[in-house]
């Protein structure tokens, strides 16, 4: 499928892509590019990449696919050097959790590279862990990968990247960058804030008594604040709107409690339960397709 | 440990207690008392009880331990008949998720029964499922059981009930009924409202894209609104206070987003992460003790 794949940042997502591509023989050679030798060594050890380099130019030379899998906060710094080092005709893809701002940054840097085709993607998979040691070759099986193709390129690069994700086991869905950002604010970013805020309502003393409920509800609050800060910065407007909705819903629940209007509260909980049951069905269907 | 145990409502919790007591030979005979034959048949089939009856008087006759394991909403109706039917000298325990109001109801009914000792407990275990078919004899292993003993009875009944829960694999903690209600508002009730409210911020279209994050965060939103309504009614004041805290935390996060004050948001997320890491350690320690 590809001759040489360069993964800039072979961590949880990049490393899992490397592993999965190797297992499925989708690339002749996969090189990992990073800033710290110890991370690259780990990526090599877990089999995420064939070779490693600290030198971006060396890594990108001859690559027909470049995967930008570093945190969003590095994109400003990396976009220029990547645009300079990438081969003409190569496909550039990235896996960031927000799209509108990320695409602006990359397109501005790529301005001059007419031959390079950017295909933004967001694999909806991951865990609260990070780094190459958390990489998992089955991470994308049964997952959804969103692609936000740019207007002028539904032709060549897009089908290749779509095929790649399908080969890795993902269901591929295409939408606009702004649709994507609105979506993830609701299914991912606000749930992270909600889970984090819950940890502020329990203190050390109460924690001792926690059962499975709080454990599951707050699992995503264990993930790295630095990764999330990048996301919050780059998708701030959509997150603010979704947060306003979320706080508004909680306020309506609170109003029902204040007024002792239990039928109103019950109705809100019943709607939530129905929707949650529907979510369980969708997830089960997806698992069955795997 | 007990000659005859009567479990009023052998569902998820009552049925699991029955199973676990049978497996450990803690009772010579366990009778299940219910209102619907089909539920009692299910409890018999899964081995939660030795015999079943729809007749409260028949079930309670001769029992030295009576376990009230029905939803909180039934306590008003059941307290009187239980007080009338219970043997003098028997121990009465219940497993409701809130305590202050529940104890008031039961004590008012038990007024005349001087020999009956009430020991309120709250096993911090369960699942989003309910009913005898969801019962599990290992449900309490490694869990915490809170006992809120009444002032005059630390002597005889309390150690017996503490011993029972320890034998079922739980770590027993004792506290006052109001401490208990304040605690569970924070570790259980507000997380349920928070998870339910999250389901209102996603619609059918967005649900298709959900990953594991939203799935775990909203798991408890799948549980029965009716059970929860009983809890919300009986612990309303503590829940309102904890909800005020929770919404306040979310508002502070929102303020940071509005003001683009990313260091403030980062600090809030970092505190949440530290606390969540601590919770993971506590849960791992508890699992290791199992």
């Amino acid at each position: 499928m590809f001759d040489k794949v360069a993964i800039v940042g072979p961590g949880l997502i990049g490393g899992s892509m490397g592993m999965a591509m190797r297992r499925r023989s989708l690339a002749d050679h996969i090189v990992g590019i990073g800033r710290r030798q110890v991370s690259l060594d780990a990526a090599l050890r877990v089999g995420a990449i064939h070779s490693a380099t600290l030198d971006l130019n060396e890594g990108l030379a001859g690559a027909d696919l470049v995967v930008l899998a570093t945190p969003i906060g590095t994109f400003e710094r990396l976009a220029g050097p990547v645009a300079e080092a990438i081969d003409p005709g190569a496909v550039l893809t990235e896996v960031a959790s927000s799209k509108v701002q990320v695409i602006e940054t990359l397109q501005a840097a790529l301005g001059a590279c007419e031959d390079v085709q950017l295909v933004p993607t967001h694999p909806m998979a991951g865990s609260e862990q990070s780094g190459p040691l958390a990489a998992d070759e089955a991470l994308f099986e049964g997952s959804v990968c969103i692609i936000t193709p740019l207007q002028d390129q539904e032709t060549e690069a897009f089908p290749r990247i779509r095929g790649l994700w399908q080969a890795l086991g993902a269901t591929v869905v295409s939408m606009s960058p702004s649709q994507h950002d609105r979506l993830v604010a609701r299914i991912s970013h606000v749930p992270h804030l909600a889970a984090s805020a819950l940890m502020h309502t329990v203190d050390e003393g109460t924690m001792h008594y926690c059962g499975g409920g709080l454990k599951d509800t707050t699992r995503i609050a264990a993930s790295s604040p630095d990764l999330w800060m990048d996301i919050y910065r780059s998708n701030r407007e959509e997150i603010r709107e979704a947060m306003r909705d979320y706080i508004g819903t909680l306020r309506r629940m609170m109003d029902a409690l204040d007024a002792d209007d239990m039928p109103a509260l019950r109705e809100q909980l019943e709607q939530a339960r129905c929707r949650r049951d529907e979510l369980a069905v969708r997830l089960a269907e997806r698992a069955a397709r795997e």
Side-chain angles (χ1 to χ4, degrees), chain A residues 39-53:
Chain A
S39 290
L40 292 175
D41 288 344
L44 280 166
R45 211 161 55 240
V46 299
I49 50 179
H50 294 101
S51 67
T53 176

PDB file of all heavy atoms in Angstrom, chain A residues 39-53:
ATOM      1  N   SER A  39      12.061   7.479  23.772  1.00  0.00           N
ATOM      2  CA  SER A  39      10.736   7.160  23.235  1.00  0.00           C
ATOM      3  C   SER A  39      10.861   6.355  21.946  1.00  0.00           C
ATOM      4  O   SER A  39      10.100   5.408  21.717  1.00  0.00           O
ATOM      5  CB  SER A  39       9.955   8.436  22.933  1.00  0.00           C
ATOM      6  OG  SER A  39       9.598   9.079  24.123  1.00  0.00           O
ATOM      7  N   LEU A  40      11.802   6.752  21.114  1.00  0.00           N
ATOM      8  CA  LEU A  40      11.997   6.025  19.858  1.00  0.00           C
ATOM      9  C   LEU A  40      12.439   4.589  20.137  1.00  0.00           C
ATOM     10  O   LEU A  40      11.993   3.648  19.476  1.00  0.00           O
ATOM     11  CB  LEU A  40      13.018   6.748  18.981  1.00  0.00           C
ATOM     12  CG  LEU A  40      12.545   8.106  18.425  1.00  0.00           C
ATOM     13  CD1 LEU A  40      13.678   8.796  17.673  1.00  0.00           C
ATOM     14  CD2 LEU A  40      11.335   7.923  17.498  1.00  0.00           C
ATOM     15  N   ASP A  41      13.319   4.439  21.138  1.00  0.00           N
ATOM     16  CA  ASP A  41      13.768   3.086  21.498  1.00  0.00           C
ATOM     17  C   ASP A  41      12.576   2.235  21.935  1.00  0.00           C
ATOM     18  O   ASP A  41      12.477   1.056  21.590  1.00  0.00           O
ATOM     19  CB  ASP A  41      14.809   3.148  22.624  1.00  0.00           C
ATOM     20  CG  ASP A  41      16.156   3.689  22.125  1.00  0.00           C
ATOM     21  OD1 ASP A  41      16.346   3.718  20.884  1.00  0.00           O
ATOM     22  OD2 ASP A  41      16.984   4.083  22.954  1.00  0.00           O
ATOM     23  N   ALA A  42      11.690   2.858  22.696  1.00  0.00           N
ATOM     24  CA  ALA A  42      10.496   2.123  23.153  1.00  0.00           C
ATOM     25  C   ALA A  42       9.639   1.724  21.963  1.00  0.00           C
ATOM     26  O   ALA A  42       9.135   0.601  21.891  1.00  0.00           O
ATOM     27  CB  ALA A  42       9.696   2.975  24.137  1.00  0.00           C
ATOM     28  N   ALA A  43       9.470   2.652  21.011  1.00  0.00           N
ATOM     29  CA  ALA A  43       8.659   2.356  19.822  1.00  0.00           C
ATOM     30  C   ALA A  43       9.279   1.216  19.010  1.00  0.00           C
ATOM     31  O   ALA A  43       8.571   0.354  18.484  1.00  0.00           O
ATOM     32  CB  ALA A  43       8.514   3.611  18.957  1.00  0.00           C
ATOM     33  N   LEU A  44      10.611   1.210  18.940  1.00  0.00           N
ATOM     34  CA  LEU A  44      11.300   0.119  18.250  1.00  0.00           C
ATOM     35  C   LEU A  44      11.072  -1.203  18.985  1.00  0.00           C
ATOM     36  O   LEU A  44      10.786  -2.233  18.386  1.00  0.00           O
ATOM     37  CB  LEU A  44      12.809   0.403  18.180  1.00  0.00           C
ATOM     38  CG  LEU A  44      13.269   1.374  17.091  1.00  0.00           C
ATOM     39  CD1 LEU A  44      14.714   1.829  17.367  1.00  0.00           C
ATOM     40  CD2 LEU A  44      13.175   0.716  15.700  1.00  0.00           C
ATOM     41  N   ARG A  45      11.200  -1.142  20.313  1.00  0.00           N
ATOM     42  CA  ARG A  45      11.110  -2.351  21.136  1.00  0.00           C
ATOM     43  C   ARG A  45       9.733  -3.006  21.029  1.00  0.00           C
ATOM     44  O   ARG A  45       9.629  -4.222  20.989  1.00  0.00           O
ATOM     45  CB  ARG A  45      11.417  -1.996  22.592  1.00  0.00           C
ATOM     46  CG  ARG A  45      12.058  -3.108  23.364  1.00  0.00           C
ATOM     47  CD  ARG A  45      12.763  -2.617  24.627  1.00  0.00           C
ATOM     48  NE  ARG A  45      11.902  -1.851  25.494  1.00  0.00           N
ATOM     49  CZ  ARG A  45      12.119  -0.582  25.850  1.00  0.00           C
ATOM     50  NH1 ARG A  45      13.172   0.074  25.407  1.00  0.00           N
ATOM     51  NH2 ARG A  45      11.292   0.035  26.655  1.00  0.00           N
ATOM     52  N   VAL A  46       8.681  -2.188  20.987  1.00  0.00           N
ATOM     53  CA  VAL A  46       7.335  -2.776  20.904  1.00  0.00           C
ATOM     54  C   VAL A  46       6.952  -3.118  19.460  1.00  0.00           C
ATOM     55  O   VAL A  46       5.865  -3.636  19.216  1.00  0.00           O
ATOM     56  CB  VAL A  46       6.249  -1.853  21.521  1.00  0.00           C
ATOM     57  CG1 VAL A  46       6.519  -1.615  22.996  1.00  0.00           C
ATOM     58  CG2 VAL A  46       6.150  -0.530  20.763  1.00  0.00           C
ATOM     59  N   GLY A  47       7.846  -2.834  18.517  1.00  0.00           N
ATOM     60  CA  GLY A  47       7.570  -3.219  17.131  1.00  0.00           C
ATOM     61  C   GLY A  47       6.667  -2.260  16.388  1.00  0.00           C
ATOM     62  O   GLY A  47       6.029  -2.628  15.407  1.00  0.00           O
ATOM     63  N   ALA A  48       6.634  -0.997  16.837  1.00  0.00           N
ATOM     64  CA  ALA A  48       5.771  -0.017  16.167  1.00  0.00           C
ATOM     65  C   ALA A  48       6.409   0.508  14.886  1.00  0.00           C
ATOM     66  O   ALA A  48       5.710   0.975  13.984  1.00  0.00           O
ATOM     67  CB  ALA A  48       5.457   1.144  17.107  1.00  0.00           C
ATOM     68  N   ILE A  49       7.737   0.456  14.806  1.00  0.00           N
ATOM     69  CA  ILE A  49       8.464   1.011  13.651  1.00  0.00           C
ATOM     70  C   ILE A  49       9.642   0.090  13.307  1.00  0.00           C
ATOM     71  O   ILE A  49      10.084  -0.699  14.138  1.00  0.00           O
ATOM     72  CB  ILE A  49       8.993   2.431  13.966  1.00  0.00           C
ATOM     73  CG1 ILE A  49       9.762   2.438  15.315  1.00  0.00           C
ATOM     74  CG2 ILE A  49       7.839   3.439  14.028  1.00  0.00           C
ATOM     75  CD1 ILE A  49      10.348   3.783  15.713  1.00  0.00           C
ATOM     76  N   HIS A  50      10.104   0.196  12.044  1.00  0.00           N
ATOM     77  CA  HIS A  50      11.294  -0.577  11.641  1.00  0.00           C
ATOM     78  C   HIS A  50      12.572   0.135  12.034  1.00  0.00           C
ATOM     79  O   HIS A  50      13.571  -0.486  12.380  1.00  0.00           O
ATOM     80  CB  HIS A  50      11.311  -0.771  10.120  1.00  0.00           C
ATOM     81  CG  HIS A  50      10.201  -1.629   9.585  1.00  0.00           C
ATOM     82  ND1 HIS A  50       9.074  -1.103   8.982  1.00  0.00           N
ATOM     83  CD2 HIS A  50      10.038  -2.980   9.578  1.00  0.00           C
ATOM     84  CE1 HIS A  50       8.273  -2.103   8.604  1.00  0.00           C
ATOM     85  NE2 HIS A  50       8.826  -3.247   8.960  1.00  0.00           N
ATOM     86  N   SER A  51      12.560   1.464  11.894  1.00  0.00           N
ATOM     87  CA  SER A  51      13.764   2.228  12.202  1.00  0.00           C
ATOM     88  C   SER A  51      13.354   3.551  12.836  1.00  0.00           C
ATOM     89  O   SER A  51      12.181   3.919  12.807  1.00  0.00           O
ATOM     90  CB  SER A  51      14.580   2.487  10.928  1.00  0.00           C
ATOM     91  OG  SER A  51      13.866   3.356  10.068  1.00  0.00           O
ATOM     92  N   ALA A  52      14.339   4.245  13.409  1.00  0.00           N
ATOM     93  CA  ALA A  52      14.027   5.478  14.131  1.00  0.00           C
ATOM     94  C   ALA A  52      15.080   6.528  13.841  1.00  0.00           C
ATOM     95  O   ALA A  52      16.234   6.218  13.577  1.00  0.00           O
ATOM     96  CB  ALA A  52      13.985   5.201  15.632  1.00  0.00           C
ATOM     97  N   THR A  53      14.641   7.794  13.874  1.00  0.00           N
ATOM     98  CA  THR A  53      15.608   8.886  13.723  1.00  0.00           C
ATOM     99  C   THR A  53      15.111  10.126  14.479  1.00  0.00           C
ATOM    100  O   THR A  53      13.908  10.321  14.622  1.00  0.00           O
ATOM    101  CB  THR A  53      15.842   9.237  12.234  1.00  0.00           C
ATOM    102  OG1 THR A  53      16.716  10.364  12.165  1.00  0.00           O
ATOM    103  CG2 THR A  53      14.523   9.602  11.545  1.00  0.00           C
TER     104      THR A  53
END
